[in-house]
């Protein structure tokens, strides 16, 4: 279970870095579609850590023997 959580945490960290970069890029570009992409990127930056926290919480609840 520890290996799975580490892999998931690594993937989450990479995705967050990419979301931060995309948020910065979308904020600098002045194009009509970038407004929507910026909103999606900011929402993903908020939602992704919450989903990771929920995953680890469920792992602790259902795998107490590890």
């Amino acid at each position: 279970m520890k290996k799975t959580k580490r892999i998931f945490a690594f993937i989450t960290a990479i995705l967050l870095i990419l979301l931060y970069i995309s948020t910065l890029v979308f904020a600098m570009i002045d194009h009509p579609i970038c407004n929507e992409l910026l909103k999606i990127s900011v929402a993903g930056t908020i939602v992704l850590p919450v989903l990771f926290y929920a995953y680890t919480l469920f792992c602790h609840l259902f795998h107490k023997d590890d």
Side-chain angles (χ1 to χ4, degrees), residues 1-5 59-60 62-66:
M1 184 54 68
K2 279 187 177 184
K3 188 174 182 180
T4 306
K5 283 199 291 190
C59 283
H60 285 290
F62 294 117
H63 296 283
K64 289 194 183 261
D65 56 344
D66 290 343

Side-chain angles (χ1 to χ4, degrees), residues 23-38:
T23 302
L24 182 64
V25 169
F26 294 144
M28 290 183 189
I29 297 174
D30 188 28
H31 194 270
I33 190 109
C34 287
N35 249 355
E36 294 300 318
L37 293 174
L38 178 65

Side-chain angles (χ1 to χ4, degrees), residues 10-26:
F10 180 72
I11 291 170
T12 303
I14 296 297
L15 287 174
L16 277 175
I17 289 169
L18 291 174
L19 280 170
Y20 293 150
I21 292 170
S22 68
T23 302
L24 182 64
V25 169
F26 294 144

Side-chain angles (χ1 to χ4, degrees), residues 52-64:
F52 179 70
Y53 179 74
Y55 170 75
T56 56
L57 188 69
F58 283 122
C59 283
H60 285 290
L61 289 174
F62 294 117
H63 296 283
K64 289 194 183 261

